[in-house]
Amino acid sequence: MSELRFEGVTVRYGATTAVDDVSLVVPPGSVVGLVGESGSGKSTLARAAVGLAPVCAGLITVGGAPVPSRGRRPLQMVFQDPYSSLDPRMSIGESVAEAMPRGAGRAERRAEVARLLELVHLDPTRAAARPAELSGGQRQRVALARALAGRPQVVIADEITSALDVSIQGAVLNLVRELQRELGLSILFISHNLAVVRYVATHVAVMRDGRIVEEGATDRVLAAPDHDYTRELLAAVPGLSTPTRSPR
Amino acid sequence: MKRWMSVLRTPVGLTATVLSIGVLVLAVVAPLLWTDNADAIDTDDILAGPSAQHWAGTDNLGRDIFYRTLVATRLSVELALAATVIAVVVGLLIGTAPYLLGRRPGRVVLAGTNIAVAFPGILLALFFAVIFGVGAKGAVLAIGFAGAPTFGRLTQTLVAGISSRDFVAAAHVAGVPRLRILFRHVLPNVSEPLVVNATIGAGAALLSFAGLSFLGLGVQQPAYDWGRLLFDGIGSIYVNPAAALAPGIAVLVAGLAFNLFGESVAKGLGVGVVGGIPALPPSPEALEADAPAAEQAHGSGTDLVLDVRDLEVAFPGPTGPIRPVRGVSFSVRRGEALGIVGESGSGKSLTALAVSRLVEAPGRVDAARLDLLGSDLRVEETKAQRRLLGTSLAMVFQDPMTSFNPTRRMGGQLAEGARHHQGLDRASALARAVDRMRAVRISEPERRAHQYPHEFSGGMRQRAMIGMGLMGSPALIVADEPTTALDVTVQQQVLDLLAAIRAAEDVALVLISHDVTVVGEVCDRVLVMYAGKIVEDLPAADLAATARHPYTRALVAAVPDMDTDLDAPLAVIPGRPVDPADVPAGCAFAARCPLATARCHAEEPPLEADGTGRRVACWHAGEPIDLEVDGSLLGRDEREEVEAR
């Protein structure tokens, strides 16, 4: 189990700076929540970690070693939209197998696919099913299985429940907590929903305009936020009748 | 495969397929059978007109033109296919190069392709004909290379579209090499449009060949294709018109066959289901008398803004009508906020669309009553009714970006409805638009009115959408997932705005959402929909504590809030939502319900009102549920999903 560390990471697209000198640590075997509104740079930070966004300055390391820019990576990512993150023409078993390390035999791979599907509570006999036959929640579980197939030390979950119905969201969140406990993964959990982050993450970082404005233990940040923006986010959680405002 | 077969079911598709196959068969068979007839020289009978012996007459060596035309099919089709193969292969190479090479070299390839595409094809072909020399080989290369840039550009666009999808990114993150991603993920997903365009390209190549040969730049003597025959025949057109007409007709038929085949395949693949679906018969429910008077519990009738009884929405399906909304009755009073919650596929959005008369054919809306401000929306659409809908009903959609025309200024778009429905002139309509934009708290509305939709942020666009609804004096705002695409902070602003408008203008609000917390915060009353029916109707304040339907209770429990117990797993609803095409007998929720008994699977519970005006459809309403929330529940959920299939 390794830690994921961002050190002074900056990502620029042309003249716009999407991520501005961000330093963040996901300690080994813990879940760190990253919250912020769209455009705050939280997804760009995640994409930079897996090599999908260009890093202009700074360093991203897993277990002390820089993340390799090609080939197999020690960290994997689960995407927001389960309807676009699985190849519609490949069976779910093939999608999962593709992410596995090379060199294993055919039977070995099949057994590993079955094990991974079982791990995310999908029936292994359905490995030949196409994504179109699955519900959104089931697809997101396949995406989790695929991420785990790469034997990652760190998993980045980018808004993995926001495209799902609330009734399915609960099952996926339960699964994330369960996998994290069983496999001792380090997880960077990105979401705009504070209630969801509170449920899965022990630490939380709040991002705005490409910078991290506040971070700390989840219960501390949510109970006594330091930054105005965090307070604004808290006040916006639906169903919360009393806006949290610290008297200072 | 099924979709390819559907191509055959259209008359044009069938004709084109038969013609194309005919041309290909002829290309194989004709030279085997008739080469001798075509090459037989008869110097006694040169340049003759059509006769019983020579249907299309003879040429200057007395050879039979009809047979020559048949035999020329092979060479013509071969050359066209060879050129198409060159165009496709070269096109694929330049089409996938930008993806394989990375950003900077890719841009050079893109620029090169763009220039080549802009260059006229026939000029390119002439240019190549000069380089490669006059003859069949030169012509094949010329037409092949001339077709390549267009095909390459199409490939580039398609590849760029697929390669930005998440599953390609995921394969990338998994360490799959680029070339492998290209062959495993990208090309299979773009193959259909490419095949279609290659077929159309073959038709075009055939025509181009005929053109080049006709100009004397293609096939040379003694070989002959249709273009060559045309070239020879045109000289004697006044003596024997059939000599030119026969190869001309052959070119026309073959070209049409390939083009139409490509077009009908494109159409068949794009549409999904073609033909074979019977129209909907008139529904008997619609003809029945009004709903029982017992359901008139709400309101006196005079302050009703919307009154819906037994609303049903049906779409034709392959095996009979699919009914996503199955008999929904509710009413909204002036100033009331009504929430409709349910999972995707519960029929909540279609209910809203039916109320706004936005369900398009072949969908059909039936209702025993569908009254907006006392006027019946079921009757034929009239001008007065459009006006009523245009001014009294405001609709807010989920995605504010697609709800506006990106090429027109916001002020003009807001003003349009007012000019149309209220007869305002341009200036006063624009003034009203600015005023309404101010009302929905858009800063600097005068300046903003001159901006385009893309210059607005998502939240601001959604507010502009609400402002557009306020251009008239709406009595009802129907908002379908208005905040789902927005950030939490912006979501709060939009919800606050809706609440403020409701309070200030006494407007009724129907808010549709899958998120029970959003609805609970804004609305007075909540309808819970499941499988196209209302299963519970209760005051929003009672949602958390005293909801009686097991589905409502599960929905509330499944959403984590700021007080959720962190040590226990979240409650989940086992199984999956009901498919509207396959609604089970009895209670639709029974398969997922912890309280279900034999009665639930057999008999559908009616939606019954209790003394307080709350309605619930459940045989076991309010019975205690043992909310079993340990890890084993997930396993059970999965087994049930498998069994359900």
Side-chain angles (χ1 to χ4, degrees):
Chain A
M1 297 313 106
S2 327
E3 67 167 19
L4 168 65
R5 182 181 283 272
F6 297 87
E7 277 173 40
V9 172
T10 300
V11 179
R12 278 195 201 97
Y13 289 114
T16 45
T17 305
V19 174
D20 190 4
D21 193 22
V22 164
S23 297
L24 179 68
V25 179
V26 181
S30 71
V31 183
V32 171
L34 184 59
V35 296
E37 60 196 50
S38 42
S40 63
K42 53 192 198 314
S43 283
T44 308
L45 188 67
R47 294 179 82 86
V50 292
L52 295 172
V55 178
C56 290
L59 192 62
I60 304 170
T61 60
V62 170
V67 180
S69 61
R70 36 179 72 236
R72 287 176 37 72
R73 298 172 174 85
L75 79 176
Q76 289 291 324
M77 179 157 162
V78 183
F79 295 84
Q80 170 173 1
D81 183 0
Y83 291 88
S84 102
S85 68
L86 295 174
D87 189 335
R89 299 199 176 240
M90 274 171 117
S91 75
I92 59 173
E94 283 167 354
S95 280
V96 172
E98 186 184 56
M100 291 195 305
R102 294 278 147 64
R106 190 176 272 268
E108 216 174 310
R109 281 173 167 268
R110 199 172 311 142
E112 175 71 358
V113 167
R115 187 186 73 82
L116 287 164
L117 290 180
E118 197 115 41
L119 195 64
V120 295
H121 305 298
L122 282 171
D123 183 356
T125 58
R126 301 196 60 204
R130 308 268 149 184
E133 298 167 40
L134 304 183
S135 68
Q138 288 176 320
R139 286 178 201 218
Q140 204 56 295
R141 289 186 214 174
V142 175
L144 269 169
R146 177 178 57 191
L148 296 176
R151 305 250 168 92
Q153 292 150 344
V154 177
V155 170
I156 297 178
D158 186 6
E159 299 270 13
I160 59 169
T161 60
S162 55
L164 303 178
D165 255 320
V166 282
S167 56
I168 304 160
Q169 168 181 285
V172 172
L173 291 179
N174 285 344
L175 179 63
V176 167
R177 295 215 324 176
E178 189 187 318
L179 290 175
Q180 196 274 329
R181 267 202 302 270
E182 278 176 21
L183 308 176
L185 291 168
S186 320
I187 299 180
L188 180 62
F189 190 93
I190 299 174
S191 177
H192 66 270
N193 187 331
L194 276 179
V196 166
V197 167
R198 171 183 170 274
Y199 188 66
V200 294
T202 47
H203 281 68
V204 64
V206 181
M207 206 164 169
R208 186 182 204 189
D209 295 337
R211 291 169 171 277
I212 287 185
V213 295
E214 177 161 12
E215 70 171 299
T218 310
D219 44 4
R220 200 279 297 161
V221 171
L222 298 188
D226 278 336
H227 198 277
D228 283 341
Y229 180 63
T230 314
R231 253 170 259 142
E232 207 180 304
L233 277 179
L234 272 169
V237 173
L240 204 68
S241 42
T242 46
T244 314
R245 289 197 191 283
S246 67
R248 53 151 78 207
Chain B
M1 216 12 37
K2 211 170 168 185
R3 292 198 296 156
W4 286 89
M5 287 305 289
S6 72
V7 171
L8 286 178
R9 284 197 214 119
T10 59
V12 176
L14 189 63
T15 319
T17 312
V18 168
L19 271 182
S20 306
I21 291 174
V23 169
L24 291 178
V25 167
L26 196 62
V28 175
V29 175
L32 300 177
L33 294 179
W34 300 308
T35 306
D36 291 343
N37 305 37
D39 290 346
I41 295 171
D42 182 3
T43 43
D44 295 338
D45 196 12
I46 59 169
L47 294 175
S51 63
Q53 205 182 353
H54 305 293
W55 289 358
T58 56
D59 65 1
N60 52 6
L61 287 174
R63 293 174 296 199
D64 185 294
I65 288 174
F66 177 69
Y67 282 120
R68 284 176 75 76
T69 304
L70 290 184
V71 173
T73 309
R74 179 182 283 185
L75 186 62
S76 305
V77 170
E78 263 177 10
L79 291 176
L81 289 183
T84 311
V85 168
I86 292 178
V88 169
V89 171
V90 176
L92 275 178
L93 284 178
I94 53 180
T96 52
Y99 176 71
L100 289 177
L101 294 178
R103 207 181 322 166
R104 208 151 291 181
R107 238 180 248 169
V108 176
V109 177
L110 276 175
T113 320
N114 286 344
I115 293 172
V117 166
F119 206 74
I122 189 73
L123 218 58
L124 210 61
L126 287 174
F127 170 71
F128 279 128
V130 171
I131 295 180
F132 295 121
V134 174
K137 192 176 121 203
V140 166
L141 290 172
I143 292 174
F145 281 116
T150 340
F151 203 76
R153 200 150 65 224
L154 176 74
T155 314
Q156 280 168 2
T157 315
L158 291 171
V159 166
I162 291 293
S163 63
S164 63
R165 298 273 294 274
D166 282 346
F167 64 82
V168 172
H172 213 68
V173 173
V176 182
R178 259 172 191 270
L179 200 62
R180 219 179 142 82
I181 295 182
L182 182 69
F183 281 104
R184 293 194 72 174
H185 294 290
V186 180
L187 287 183
N189 280 300
V190 302
S191 59
E192 277 171 11
L194 289 187
V195 168
V196 167
N197 272 278
T199 318
I200 298 177
L206 197 88
L207 294 180
S208 313
F209 256 106
L212 275 191
S213 290
F214 180 70
L215 292 173
L217 293 170
V219 176
Q220 301 298 315
Q221 299 271 26
Y224 54 95
D225 69 342
W226 289 332
R228 186 74 218 175
L229 293 176
L230 203 59
F231 176 69
D232 293 340
I234 205 85
S236 56
I237 192 152
Y238 293 111
V239 185
N240 175 18
L245 276 179
I249 290 170
V251 169
L252 188 76
V253 170
L256 260 182
F258 285 144
N259 269 324
L260 281 182
F261 182 66
E263 297 279 0
S264 44
V265 167
K267 209 173 162 197
L269 294 183
V271 171
V273 188
V274 180
I277 293 176
L280 287 173
S283 119
E285 287 92 335
L287 307 172
E288 277 172 20
D290 273 8
E295 291 193 4
Q296 302 278 32
H298 296 290
S300 60
T302 47
D303 66 342
L304 282 187
V305 174
L306 181 69
D307 192 9
V308 180
R309 291 276 168 268
D310 282 334
L311 176 73
E312 209 182 278
V313 181
F315 287 89
T319 56
I322 296 170
R323 292 159 49 205
V325 178
R326 307 180 295 141
V328 164
S329 302
F330 64 93
S331 55
V332 187
R333 274 169 298 158
R334 188 164 284 284
E336 186 184 29
L338 176 74
I340 305 182
V341 287
E343 289 168 276
S344 356
S346 61
K348 55 191 190 317
S349 289
L350 270 174
T351 303
L353 289 179
V355 166
S356 333
R357 292 205 57 143
L358 289 173
V359 175
E360 291 189 4
R364 216 195 45 218
V365 178
D366 285 312
R369 186 184 304 162
L370 189 55
D371 288 357
L372 176 68
L373 295 171
S375 112
D376 192 349
L377 293 183
R378 294 175 304 164
V379 292
E380 255 335 89
E381 196 173 73
T382 59
K383 201 173 169 198
Q385 195 197 72
R386 271 204 301 278
R387 200 179 145 135
L388 176 77
L389 280 171
T391 55
S392 309
L393 181 105
M395 188 87 196
V396 182
F397 296 100
Q398 174 172 351
D399 185 354
M401 189 66 220
T402 53
S403 313
F404 284 106
N405 180 346
T407 62
R408 294 191 52 205
R409 294 175 203 278
M410 290 300 259
Q413 296 198 48
L414 260 68
E416 189 174 30
R419 289 179 64 189
H420 194 76
H421 293 302
Q422 291 154 273
L424 295 181
D425 63 68
R426 199 184 152 84
S428 45
L430 197 64
R432 170 116 182 123
V434 170
D435 176 64
R436 295 288 87 184
M437 284 169 85
R438 188 176 293 117
V440 293
R441 299 176 205 156
I442 290 175
S443 57
E444 300 179 75
E446 290 86 357
R447 188 173 65 85
R448 287 286 180 184
H450 289 284
Q451 289 185 328
Y452 290 95
H454 72 266
E455 295 172 88
F456 279 48
S457 69
M460 222 188 303
R461 270 199 294 269
Q462 198 58 294
R463 273 182 268 165
M465 184 83 212
I466 297 171
M468 194 182 216
L470 295 180
M471 286 298 288
S473 43
L476 175 66
I477 299 178
V478 178
D480 184 4
E481 303 267 9
T483 61
T484 307
L486 304 176
D487 279 311
V488 269
T489 44
V490 185
Q491 163 174 315
Q492 193 58 40
Q493 293 164 10
V494 170
L495 293 179
D496 287 347
L497 176 65
L498 284 174
I501 290 169
R502 183 165 79 93
E505 321 221 349
D506 205 19
V507 182
L509 174 69
V510 173
L511 178 70
I512 292 153
S513 177
H514 71 282
D515 192 341
V516 77
T517 49
V518 166
V519 167
E521 184 178 300
V522 176
C523 298
D524 309 321
R525 199 154 61 85
V526 177
L527 303 178
V528 182
M529 280 188 75
Y530 188 78
K533 290 207 162 186
I534 296 174
V535 295
E536 186 158 16
D537 172 358
L538 76 170
D542 295 351
L543 261 180
T546 61
R548 295 170 65 214
H549 198 285
Y551 179 62
T552 316
R553 288 145 79 186
L555 266 188
V556 173
V559 186
D561 60 25
M562 299 310 272
D563 303 315
T564 307
D565 180 5
L566 293 181
D567 298 321
L570 292 171
V572 296
I573 307 175
R576 55 157 70 192
V578 168
D579 180 354
D582 184 23
V583 180
C587 172
F589 186 62
R592 308 171 74 185
C593 181
L595 297 178
T597 55
R599 187 185 189 193
C600 302
H601 289 282
E603 231 180 303
E604 185 159 21
L607 185 64
E608 276 177 343
D610 65 5
T612 59
R614 294 171 43 152
R615 297 184 293 168
V616 65
C618 180
W619 297 122
H620 304 284
E623 285 179 20
I625 300 177
D626 178 23
L627 268 182
E628 170 195 2
V629 280
D630 57 321
S632 68
L633 197 70
L634 269 175
R636 195 187 76 186
D637 147 27
E638 224 27 76
R639 275 199 300 283
E640 283 190 3
E641 282 191 39
V642 172
E643 278 164 19
R645 297 189 64 82

